[in-house]
Amino acid sequence: MERTLVILKPCTIERGLIGEIISRFEKKGLKLAGMKMTWLTDELLSEHYAHLKEKSFFQRVKDAMRVCPVIVCCWEGLDAVEVVRAMAGKTNGRLAAPGTIRGDYSMSVQENIVHASDSLETAEIELKRFFKEEEIFDYTPSYIWSLYANDEI
Ligand code: IDP
Ligand code: MG
């Protein structure tokens, strides 16, 4: 099973969409392996958004992530990284397809509801960045055999 990082961004907290977004991942059949509320630091965000450091909007994007605490989640499932990225949709909420999280809840490139890891390698690095080892939980939900065929897992 793969694990991936999702961050519910400040825009999501402020707009009262926490339950809606978490509910989508739950209904899909992803397993919540870790979750906490945390106030991110500029230092941590500089690391997290290092790929944007040459962009004019780098500082603005980081500041937008510190408007209020965020909720970081670890979701687990078969192909979880790809599944969650597909559920998030395109970066720009105005271009993201209806039915995706950004497509349904965002009108913005920056204020786009969630962060989702973009590859398995990134997910591993990002989970370590935001969670301590003991904050990620191993357990098997009783409904696992209703979610997957026995040759899938
Ligand atoms: P992603 O979140 O879809 O993986 P990235 O390119 O990794 O997109 O960018 C990280 C975050 O930076 C985006 O989710 C968005 O909040 C912000 N961002 C990306 N491109 C722009 C832009 O052109 N203007 C403003 N903010 C941007
Ligand atoms: Mg990204």
Side-chain angles (χ1 to χ4, degrees):
M1 291 278 172
E2 288 182 9
R3 284 174 171 164
T4 191
L5 176 80
V6 170
I7 304 176
L8 306 190
K9 297 186 177 187
C11 55
T12 306
I13 316 303
E14 298 235 312
R15 288 175 56 194
L17 293 172
I18 299 167
E20 294 249 357
I21 305 305
I22 289 174
S23 176
R24 286 202 173 210
F25 294 120
E26 274 190 309
K27 286 177 188 162
K28 176 66 174 169
L30 289 151
K31 185 188 100 182
L32 190 62
M35 179 165 74
K36 67 179 178 185
M37 185 173 243
T38 180
W39 212 313
L40 300 176
T41 63
D42 188 71
E43 194 184 4
L44 190 77
L45 286 161
S46 293
E47 204 182 287
H48 184 61
Y49 286 134
H51 61 294
L52 302 177
K53 67 173 184 292
E54 307 302 333
K55 304 281 188 189
S56 58
F57 52 81
F58 181 52
Q59 191 60 45
R60 183 159 52 87
V61 166
K62 290 193 294 171
D63 290 346
M65 292 295 280
R66 303 187 66 235
V67 165
C68 70
V70 298
I71 293 177
V72 291
C73 315
C74 172
W75 291 100
E76 185 180 302
L78 202 60
D79 302 324
V81 174
E82 199 182 340
V83 168
V84 168
R85 277 295 282 194
M87 289 177 73
K90 282 188 182 169
T91 307
N92 183 341
R94 296 189 298 279
L95 303 179
T100 63
I101 290 168
R102 289 162 168 174
D104 286 352
Y105 296 103
S106 168
M107 282 292 286
S108 168
V109 186
Q110 178 178 289
E111 304 300 328
N112 59 3
I113 310 295
V114 288
H115 165 81
S117 306
D118 62 10
S119 71
L120 190 53
E121 193 190 5
T122 313
E124 277 166 20
I125 295 166
E126 291 183 342
L127 285 168
K128 284 201 180 85
R129 180 175 296 143
F130 291 94
F131 285 100
K132 295 182 191 135
E133 214 177 304
E134 65 270 23
E135 292 173 333
I136 305 282
F137 297 89
D138 284 316
Y139 64 98
T140 305
S142 55
Y143 55 77
I144 190 92
W145 302 113
S146 307
L147 278 177
Y148 297 104
N150 56 11
D151 68 340
E152 288 178 311
I153 53 170

